[in-house]
Coordinates of all heavy atoms in Angstrom, one line a residue:
M1 N -33.2 -37.0 64.0 CA -34.0 -37.9 64.7 C -33.4 -39.3 64.4 O -32.9 -39.6 63.3 CB -35.4 -37.9 64.2 CG -36.3 -38.9 64.7 SD -38.1 -38.8 64.3 CE -38.1 -37.9 62.8
A2 N -33.5 -40.2 65.4 CA -33.0 -41.5 65.2 C -33.8 -42.1 64.1 O -35.1 -42.0 64.0 CB -33.2 -42.3 66.5
S3 N -33.1 -42.7 63.1 CA -33.8 -43.2 61.9 C -34.9 -44.2 62.2 O -35.8 -44.4 61.3 CB -32.8 -43.7 60.9 OG -32.1 -44.8 61.5
N4 N -34.8 -44.9 63.3 CA -35.8 -45.9 63.5 C -36.8 -45.5 64.6 O -37.6 -46.3 65.0 CB -35.1 -47.2 64.0 CG -34.4 -47.1 65.3 OD1 -34.3 -46.0 65.8 ND2 -34.0 -48.2 65.8
F5 N -36.8 -44.2 65.0 CA -37.8 -43.8 66.0 C -39.2 -43.6 65.4 O -39.3 -43.0 64.3 CB -37.4 -42.5 66.7 CG -38.3 -42.0 67.7 CD1 -38.4 -42.6 69.0 CD2 -39.2 -41.0 67.4 CE1 -39.3 -42.1 69.9 CE2 -40.1 -40.5 68.4 CZ -40.2 -41.1 69.6
R6 N -40.2 -44.1 66.1 CA -41.6 -43.9 65.6 C -42.4 -43.6 66.8 O -42.2 -44.2 67.9 CB -42.1 -45.2 65.0 CG -41.4 -45.6 63.7 CD -41.6 -44.7 62.5 NE -40.9 -45.1 61.4 CZ -39.7 -44.6 61.0 NH1 -39.1 -43.7 61.6 NH2 -39.2 -45.1 59.9
L7 N -43.4 -42.7 66.7 CA -44.3 -42.4 67.7 C -45.7 -42.5 67.1 O -46.1 -41.9 66.1 CB -44.1 -40.9 68.1 CG -44.9 -40.4 69.3 CD1 -44.2 -39.3 70.0 CD2 -46.3 -39.9 68.9
F8 N -46.5 -43.4 67.7 CA -47.9 -43.6 67.3 C -48.8 -43.1 68.4 O -48.5 -43.3 69.6 CB -48.2 -45.1 67.1 CG -47.4 -45.6 65.9 CD1 -46.2 -46.3 66.1 CD2 -47.8 -45.4 64.6 CE1 -45.5 -46.8 65.0 CE2 -47.1 -45.9 63.5 CZ -45.9 -46.6 63.7
S9 N -49.9 -42.5 68.0 CA -50.8 -42.0 69.1 C -52.2 -42.3 68.7 O -52.6 -42.5 67.5 CB -50.7 -40.5 69.2 OG -51.1 -39.8 68.0
Y10 N -53.0 -42.5 69.7 CA -54.5 -42.6 69.5 C -55.2 -42.1 70.7 O -54.6 -42.0 71.8 CB -54.9 -44.1 69.2 CG -54.6 -45.0 70.4 CD1 -55.6 -45.3 71.3 CD2 -53.4 -45.7 70.5 CE1 -55.4 -46.2 72.3 CE2 -53.1 -46.5 71.5 CZ -54.1 -46.8 72.5 OH -53.9 -47.7 73.5
K11 N -56.4 -41.6 70.5 CA -57.2 -41.1 71.6 C -58.3 -42.1 72.0 O -58.9 -42.8 71.1 CB -57.9 -39.8 71.2 CG -56.9 -38.7 71.1 CD -57.5 -37.3 70.8 CE -56.5 -36.3 70.7 NZ -57.0 -34.9 70.5
N12 N -58.6 -42.1 73.3 CA -59.6 -43.0 73.8 C -60.4 -42.2 74.8 O -60.0 -41.9 75.9 CB -59.0 -44.2 74.5 CG -59.9 -45.2 75.1 OD1 -61.2 -45.0 74.9 ND2 -59.4 -46.2 75.6
Q13 N -61.6 -41.7 74.4 CA -62.4 -40.8 75.1 C -61.6 -39.5 75.5 O -61.2 -38.8 74.6 CB -63.0 -41.4 76.4 CG -64.0 -42.5 76.0 CD -64.5 -43.2 77.2 OE1 -64.1 -43.0 78.4 NE2 -65.5 -44.0 77.0
N14 N -61.2 -39.3 76.7 CA -60.5 -38.1 77.1 C -59.0 -38.4 77.4 O -58.3 -37.6 78.0 CB -61.1 -37.5 78.4 CG -62.5 -36.9 78.1 OD1 -62.8 -36.5 77.0 ND2 -63.3 -36.9 79.1
S15 N -58.5 -39.5 76.9 CA -57.1 -39.9 77.1 C -56.4 -40.0 75.8 O -56.9 -40.3 74.8 CB -57.1 -41.3 77.7 OG -57.7 -41.3 79.0
L16 N -55.1 -39.6 75.9 CA -54.2 -39.7 74.8 C -53.2 -40.8 75.1 O -52.6 -40.8 76.2 CB -53.5 -38.4 74.5 CG -52.4 -38.4 73.4 CD1 -53.0 -38.6 72.1 CD2 -51.7 -37.1 73.4
H17 N -53.0 -41.7 74.2 CA -52.0 -42.8 74.3 C -50.9 -42.6 73.3 O -51.2 -42.5 72.1 CB -52.7 -44.1 74.1 CG -53.7 -44.4 75.1 ND1 -53.5 -45.2 76.2 CD2 -55.0 -44.0 75.2 CE1 -54.6 -45.2 77.0 NE2 -55.6 -44.5 76.3
L18 N -49.7 -42.5 73.8 CA -48.5 -42.4 72.9 C -47.6 -43.6 73.0 O -47.3 -44.0 74.1 CB -47.7 -41.2 73.3 CG -48.5 -39.8 73.2 CD1 -47.6 -38.7 73.8 CD2 -48.9 -39.5 71.8
Q19 N -47.3 -44.3 71.9 CA -46.5 -45.5 71.9 C -45.2 -45.2 71.2 O -45.2 -44.7 70.0 CB -47.3 -46.6 71.3 CG -46.7 -48.0 71.6 CD -47.7 -49.1 71.3 OE1 -48.7 -48.9 70.7 NE2 -47.3 -50.3 71.7
L20 N -44.1 -45.4 71.9 CA -42.8 -45.1 71.3 C -42.0 -46.3 70.9 O -42.0 -47.3 71.6 CB -41.9 -44.3 72.4 CG -42.6 -43.1 73.1 CD1 -41.6 -42.5 74.0 CD2 -43.1 -42.1 72.1
Y21 N -41.4 -46.3 69.7 CA -40.6 -47.4 69.2 C -39.3 -46.9 68.7 O -39.1 -45.8 68.3 CB -41.3 -48.0 67.9 CG -42.7 -48.6 68.2 CD1 -43.8 -47.8 68.1 CD2 -42.8 -49.9 68.5 CE1 -45.1 -48.4 68.3 CE2 -44.0 -50.5 68.8 CZ -45.2 -49.7 68.7 OH -46.4 -50.3 68.9
G22 N -38.3 -47.8 68.8 CA -36.9 -47.5 68.3 C -36.0 -46.9 69.3 O -36.0 -47.2 70.5
D23 N -35.2 -45.9 68.8 CA -34.2 -45.3 69.7 C -34.6 -43.9 70.0 O -35.1 -43.1 69.2 CB -32.8 -45.2 69.0 CG -32.2 -46.6 68.7 OD1 -32.6 -47.6 69.4 OD2 -31.4 -46.7 67.8
F24 N -34.4 -43.5 71.3 CA -34.9 -42.2 71.8 C -33.7 -41.3 72.0 O -32.8 -41.5 72.8 CB -35.6 -42.4 73.1 CG -36.3 -41.1 73.6 CD1 -37.5 -40.8 73.1 CD2 -35.7 -40.4 74.6 CE1 -38.2 -39.6 73.6 CE2 -36.4 -39.2 75.1 CZ -37.6 -38.9 74.5
D25 N -33.6 -40.3 71.1 CA -32.5 -39.3 71.1 C -33.0 -37.9 71.3 O -34.2 -37.7 71.6 CB -31.5 -39.4 69.9 CG -32.2 -39.1 68.6 OD1 -33.4 -38.7 68.6 OD2 -31.6 -39.3 67.6
G26 N -32.2 -36.9 71.1 CA -32.7 -35.5 71.2 C -33.8 -35.1 70.3 O -34.8 -34.5 70.7
D27 N -33.7 -35.5 69.1 CA -34.8 -35.2 68.1 C -36.1 -36.0 68.4 O -37.2 -35.4 68.3 CB -34.3 -35.5 66.7 CG -33.3 -34.5 66.1 OD1 -33.3 -33.4 66.6 OD2 -32.5 -34.9 65.3
S28 N -35.9 -37.2 68.9 CA -37.1 -38.0 69.3 C -37.8 -37.3 70.5 O -39.0 -37.3 70.6 CB -36.6 -39.4 69.7 OG -35.9 -40.0 68.6
A29 N -37.0 -36.7 71.4 CA -37.5 -36.0 72.6 C -38.4 -34.8 72.1 O -39.5 -34.6 72.6 CB -36.4 -35.6 73.5
H30 N -37.9 -34.1 71.1 CA -38.7 -33.0 70.6 C -40.0 -33.4 70.0 O -41.0 -32.8 70.1 CB -37.8 -32.2 69.6 CG -36.8 -31.3 70.2 ND1 -37.2 -30.1 70.9 CD2 -35.5 -31.3 70.2 CE1 -36.1 -29.5 71.3 NE2 -35.1 -30.2 70.9
Q31 N -39.9 -34.6 69.3 CA -41.1 -35.1 68.6 C -42.2 -35.5 69.7 O -43.3 -35.2 69.6 CB -40.8 -36.3 67.8 CG -42.0 -36.8 67.0 CD -41.6 -37.9 66.0 OE1 -40.4 -38.2 65.8 NE2 -42.6 -38.6 65.5
L32 N -41.7 -36.1 70.8 CA -42.6 -36.4 71.9 C -43.1 -35.2 72.6 O -44.3 -35.1 72.9 CB -41.8 -37.3 72.9 CG -42.6 -37.7 74.2 CD1 -43.9 -38.4 73.9 CD2 -41.7 -38.5 75.1
I33 N -42.3 -34.2 72.8 CA -42.8 -32.9 73.4 C -43.9 -32.3 72.5 O -44.9 -31.8 73.0 CB -41.6 -32.0 73.7 CG1 -40.8 -32.5 74.9 CG2 -42.1 -30.5 73.9 CD1 -41.5 -32.4 76.2
N34 N -43.6 -32.3 71.2 CA -44.6 -31.7 70.3 C -45.9 -32.4 70.4 O -47.0 -31.8 70.3 CB -44.1 -31.7 68.9 CG -43.0 -30.6 68.7 OD1 -43.0 -29.6 69.4 ND2 -42.1 -30.8 67.7
A35 N -45.9 -33.8 70.5 CA -47.1 -34.5 70.7 C -47.8 -34.2 72.0 O -49.1 -34.1 72.0 CB -46.8 -36.0 70.6
L36 N -47.1 -34.0 73.0 CA -47.7 -33.6 74.3 C -48.3 -32.2 74.2 O -49.3 -31.9 74.8 CB -46.6 -33.6 75.4 CG -46.1 -35.0 75.8 CD1 -45.0 -35.0 76.7 CD2 -47.3 -35.9 76.3
R37 N -47.6 -31.3 73.5 CA -48.1 -29.9 73.3 C -49.5 -29.9 72.7 O -50.4 -29.1 73.0 CB -47.2 -29.1 72.5 CG -46.2 -28.4 73.2 CD -45.5 -27.3 72.4 NE -44.3 -26.8 73.2 CZ -43.1 -27.1 72.9 NH1 -42.8 -27.9 71.9 NH2 -42.1 -26.7 73.7
T38 N -49.7 -30.8 71.7 CA -51.0 -30.8 71.0 C -52.1 -31.6 71.8 O -53.2 -31.8 71.3 CB -50.8 -31.4 69.6 OG1 -50.4 -32.8 69.7 CG2 -49.8 -30.6 68.8
S39 N -51.7 -32.1 73.0 CA -52.7 -33.0 73.7 C -53.4 -32.2 74.8 O -54.0 -32.8 75.7 CB -51.9 -34.1 74.4 OG -51.1 -33.6 75.5
N40 N -53.5 -30.9 74.6 CA -54.1 -30.0 75.6 C -55.6 -30.3 75.9 O -56.1 -30.0 77.0 CB -54.0 -28.5 75.3 CG -54.6 -28.2 73.9 OD1 -55.1 -29.1 73.2 ND2 -54.4 -27.0 73.5
C41 N -56.3 -31.1 75.1 CA -57.7 -31.4 75.4 C -57.8 -32.7 76.1 O -58.9 -33.1 76.5 CB -58.5 -31.4 74.1 SG -57.9 -32.6 72.9
A42 N -56.7 -33.5 76.2 CA -56.7 -34.8 76.9 C -56.6 -34.6 78.4 O -55.8 -33.8 78.9 CB -55.6 -35.6 76.4
E43 N -57.5 -35.3 79.1 CA -57.4 -35.3 80.6 C -56.3 -36.1 81.1 O -55.7 -35.8 82.2 CB -58.7 -35.8 81.2 CG -59.9 -34.8 81.0 CD -61.2 -35.4 81.5 OE1 -61.2 -36.3 82.3 OE2 -62.2 -34.8 81.2
S44 N -55.9 -37.2 80.4 CA -54.9 -38.1 80.8 C -54.0 -38.4 79.6 O -54.5 -38.5 78.5 CB -55.4 -39.4 81.3 OG -56.2 -39.2 82.4
V45 N -52.7 -38.6 79.8 CA -51.8 -38.9 78.8 C -51.0 -40.1 79.3 O -50.4 -40.1 80.4 CB -50.8 -37.8 78.4 CG1 -49.8 -38.2 77.4 CG2 -51.6 -36.5 78.0
F46 N -50.9 -41.2 78.4 CA -50.1 -42.4 78.7 C -49.0 -42.5 77.7 O -49.3 -42.5 76.5 CB -51.1 -43.6 78.7 CG -52.2 -43.5 79.7 CD1 -53.4 -43.0 79.3 CD2 -52.0 -43.9 81.0 CE1 -54.5 -42.9 80.2 CE2 -53.1 -43.8 81.9 CZ -54.3 -43.3 81.5
V47 N -47.8 -42.7 78.2 CA -46.7 -42.8 77.3 C -46.1 -44.2 77.5 O -45.6 -44.6 78.6 CB -45.6 -41.8 77.5 CG1 -44.4 -42.0 76.5 CG2 -46.2 -40.4 77.4
D48 N -46.2 -45.1 76.5 CA -45.7 -46.5 76.5 C -44.3 -46.5 75.9 O -44.1 -46.2 74.8 CB -46.6 -47.4 75.7 CG -46.2 -48.8 75.8 OD1 -45.1 -49.2 76.3 OD2 -47.0 -49.7 75.3
T49 N -43.3 -46.8 76.8 CA -41.9 -46.9 76.4 C -41.4 -48.3 76.2 O -40.2 -48.5 76.1 CB -41.1 -46.1 77.4 OG1 -41.2 -46.6 78.7 CG2 -41.5 -44.6 77.4
N50 N -42.2 -49.3 76.3 CA -41.8 -50.7 76.3 C -41.1 -51.1 75.1 O -40.2 -52.0 75.1 CB -43.0 -51.6 76.6 CG -43.5 -51.6 78.0 OD1 -42.7 -51.4 78.9 ND2 -44.8 -51.8 78.2
D51 N -41.3 -50.4 73.9 CA -40.7 -50.8 72.7 C -39.6 -49.9 72.3 O -39.1 -50.0 71.1 CB -41.8 -50.8 71.6 CG -42.8 -52.0 71.8 OD1 -42.4 -53.1 72.1 OD2 -44.0 -51.7 71.7
L52 N -39.0 -49.2 73.2 CA -37.8 -48.4 72.9 C -36.6 -49.4 73.0 O -36.5 -50.2 73.9 CB -37.6 -47.3 73.9 CG -38.5 -46.1 73.7 CD1 -38.3 -45.0 74.8 CD2 -38.4 -45.4 72.4
N53 N -35.7 -49.3 72.0 CA -34.5 -50.1 72.0 C -33.4 -49.4 72.8 O -32.8 -50.1 73.7 CB -34.0 -50.3 70.6 CG -35.0 -51.0 69.7 OD1 -35.7 -51.9 70.2 ND2 -35.0 -50.7 68.4
R54 N -33.1 -48.2 72.5 CA -32.1 -47.4 73.2 C -32.6 -46.1 73.7 O -33.4 -45.5 72.9 CB -30.9 -47.2 72.3 CG -30.1 -48.4 72.0 CD -28.8 -48.0 71.2 NE -28.2 -49.2 70.8 CZ -27.7 -49.5 69.6 NH1 -28.0 -48.6 68.6 NH2 -27.1 -50.6 69.3
V55 N -32.2 -45.7 74.8 CA -32.6 -44.3 75.3 C -31.2 -43.6 75.6 O -30.5 -44.0 76.5 CB -33.4 -44.4 76.6 CG1 -33.7 -43.0 77.1 CG2 -34.7 -45.2 76.3
Y56 N -30.9 -42.6 74.8 CA -29.7 -41.9 74.9 C -29.8 -40.8 76.0 O -30.8 -40.2 76.1 CB -29.3 -41.3 73.6 CG -29.0 -42.3 72.6 CD1 -29.9 -42.7 71.6 CD2 -27.7 -42.9 72.5 CE1 -29.6 -43.6 70.6 CE2 -27.4 -43.8 71.6 CZ -28.4 -44.2 70.6 OH -28.1 -45.1 69.7
P57 N -28.8 -40.6 76.8 CA -28.8 -39.6 77.9 C -29.1 -38.2 77.4 O -29.9 -37.5 78.0 CB -27.4 -39.6 78.4 CG -26.9 -41.0 78.2 CD -27.5 -41.4 76.8
F58 N -28.7 -37.9 76.2 CA -29.0 -36.6 75.6 C -30.5 -36.5 75.3 O -31.1 -35.4 75.5 CB -28.2 -36.3 74.3 CG -28.5 -34.9 73.7 CD1 -28.1 -33.8 74.4 CD2 -29.2 -34.8 72.5 CE1 -28.3 -32.5 73.9 CE2 -29.4 -33.6 72.0 CZ -29.0 -32.4 72.7
G59 N -31.1 -37.6 74.9 CA -32.6 -37.6 74.7 C -33.3 -37.3 76.0 O -34.3 -36.5 76.0
I60 N -32.9 -37.9 77.1 CA -33.5 -37.7 78.4 C -33.3 -36.3 78.8 O -34.3 -35.6 79.3 CB -32.9 -38.7 79.4 CG1 -33.3 -40.1 79.1 CG2 -33.4 -38.3 80.8 CD1 -32.5 -41.1 79.9
S61 N -32.2 -35.7 78.6 CA -31.9 -34.4 79.0 C -32.8 -33.4 78.3 O -33.3 -32.5 78.9 CB -30.4 -34.0 78.8 OG -30.1 -32.7 79.1
V62 N -32.9 -33.5 77.0 CA -33.7 -32.7 76.1 C -35.2 -32.8 76.6 O -35.9 -31.8 76.8 CB -33.6 -33.0 74.6 CG1 -34.6 -32.3 73.8 CG2 -32.2 -32.6 74.2
F63 N -35.6 -34.0 76.8 CA -37.0 -34.2 77.2 C -37.3 -33.5 78.6 O -38.3 -32.8 78.7 CB -37.4 -35.7 77.3 CG -38.8 -36.0 77.7 CD1 -39.8 -35.7 76.9 CD2 -39.0 -36.4 79.0 CE1 -41.1 -35.9 77.3 CE2 -40.3 -36.7 79.4 CZ -41.4 -36.4 78.6
E64 N -36.4 -33.7 79.5 CA -36.6 -33.1 80.9 C -36.7 -31.6 80.8 O -37.5 -31.0 81.4 CB -35.5 -33.6 81.8 CG -35.7 -35.0 82.2 CD -34.5 -35.5 83.1 OE1 -33.5 -34.9 83.1 OE2 -34.7 -36.5 83.8
K65 N -35.8 -31.0 80.0 CA -35.7 -29.6 79.9 C -37.0 -29.0 79.2 O -37.6 -28.1 79.7 CB -34.5 -29.2 79.0 CG -34.4 -27.7 78.8 CD -33.2 -27.4 77.9 CE -33.2 -25.9 77.5 NZ -32.2 -25.6 76.5
E66 N -37.4 -29.6 78.1 CA -38.6 -29.2 77.4 C -39.9 -29.5 78.2 O -40.8 -28.7 78.1 CB -38.6 -29.8 76.0 CG -37.5 -29.4 75.1 CD -37.5 -27.9 74.8 OE1 -38.6 -27.4 74.6 OE2 -36.4 -27.4 74.7
L67 N -39.9 -30.5 79.0 CA -41.1 -30.8 79.7 C -41.3 -29.8 80.8 O -42.4 -29.3 81.1 CB -41.0 -32.2 80.4 CG -42.2 -32.7 81.1 CD1 -43.4 -32.8 80.2 CD2 -41.9 -34.0 81.8
K68 N -40.2 -29.3 81.4 CA -40.3 -28.2 82.4 C -40.9 -27.0 81.8 O -41.7 -26.3 82.4 CB -38.9 -27.9 83.0 CG -38.4 -29.0 84.0 CD -37.0 -28.7 84.5 CE -36.5 -29.8 85.3 NZ -35.1 -29.5 85.8
V69 N -40.5 -26.7 80.6 CA -41.0 -25.5 79.9 C -42.5 -25.7 79.6 O -43.3 -24.8 79.8 CB -40.2 -25.2 78.6 CG1 -40.9 -24.1 77.8 CG2 -38.8 -24.8 78.9
L70 N -42.8 -26.9 79.2 CA -44.2 -27.2 78.8 C -45.1 -27.1 80.0 O -46.3 -26.6 79.9 CB -44.3 -28.6 78.2 CG -45.6 -29.1 77.7 CD1 -46.2 -28.2 76.6 CD2 -45.5 -30.5 77.3
L71 N -44.7 -27.6 81.2 CA -45.5 -27.6 82.4 C -45.5 -26.3 83.1 O -46.3 -26.1 84.0 CB -45.0 -28.7 83.3 CG -45.2 -30.1 82.7 CD1 -44.5 -31.1 83.7 CD2 -46.6 -30.5 82.5
K72 N -44.6 -25.4 82.8 CA -44.6 -24.1 83.5 C -45.9 -23.3 83.3 O -46.4 -23.2 82.2 CB -43.4 -23.3 82.9 CG -43.2 -22.0 83.7 CD -41.9 -21.3 83.2 CE -41.7 -20.1 84.0 NZ -40.5 -19.4 83.6
K73 N -46.4 -22.9 84.4 CA -47.7 -22.2 84.4 C -47.5 -20.7 84.2 O -46.5 -20.2 84.8 CB -48.5 -22.4 85.7 CG -48.7 -23.8 86.0 CD -49.9 -24.4 85.3 CE -50.2 -25.8 85.7 NZ -51.0 -26.5 84.9
P74 N -48.3 -20.1 83.4 CA -48.1 -18.6 83.2 C -48.4 -17.9 84.5 O -49.3 -18.3 85.3 CB -49.1 -18.2 82.1 CG -49.9 -19.4 81.8 CD -49.3 -20.6 82.5
S75 N -47.7 -16.8 84.8 CA -47.9 -16.1 86.0 C -49.2 -15.3 86.0 O -49.6 -14.8 85.0 CB -46.8 -15.1 86.2 OG -45.5 -15.7 86.1

């Protein structure tokens, strides 16, 4: 994980708010996906990326791949 990456979360009624700080790489993407996995009771999820310093292409790739798996509906 990027040594300066931080993810803070808080709930507001039925919403989950995730605030990302630092550099976003592959390990950071996994941390974000894990936070989304545990948000199954939230009706809305907001991800604030304003405080990211760097977003690495590999981090985006990992996030996109894992998000597709997360959103896949069982048959």
Side-chain angles (χ1 to χ4, degrees):
M1 174 176 22
S3 62
N4 66 349
F5 179 77
R6 299 289 181 262
L7 185 153
F8 295 99
S9 65
Y10 65 93
K11 290 186 179 182
N12 183 358
Q13 294 179 350
N14 293 329
S15 298
L16 175 66
H17 298 261
L18 302 171
Q19 197 161 9
L20 311 181
Y21 296 91
D23 297 338
F24 190 79
D25 61 6
D27 288 334
S28 305
H30 281 289
Q31 187 174 348
L32 175 56
I33 288 293
N34 287 336
L36 292 172
R37 271 195 190 105
T38 62
S39 70
N40 57 0
C41 61
E43 291 179 13
S44 301
V45 177
F46 301 93
V47 181
D48 182 351
T49 60
N50 287 329
D51 292 313
L52 287 177
N53 297 327
R54 291 186 183 130
V55 178
Y56 293 98
F58 183 68
I60 294 171
S61 176
V62 169
F63 178 73
E64 288 175 342
K65 179 183 172 191
E66 294 297 322
L67 185 62
K68 286 178 186 177
V69 172
L70 181 65
L71 295 176
K72 187 176 182 179
K73 303 282 183 192
S75 310

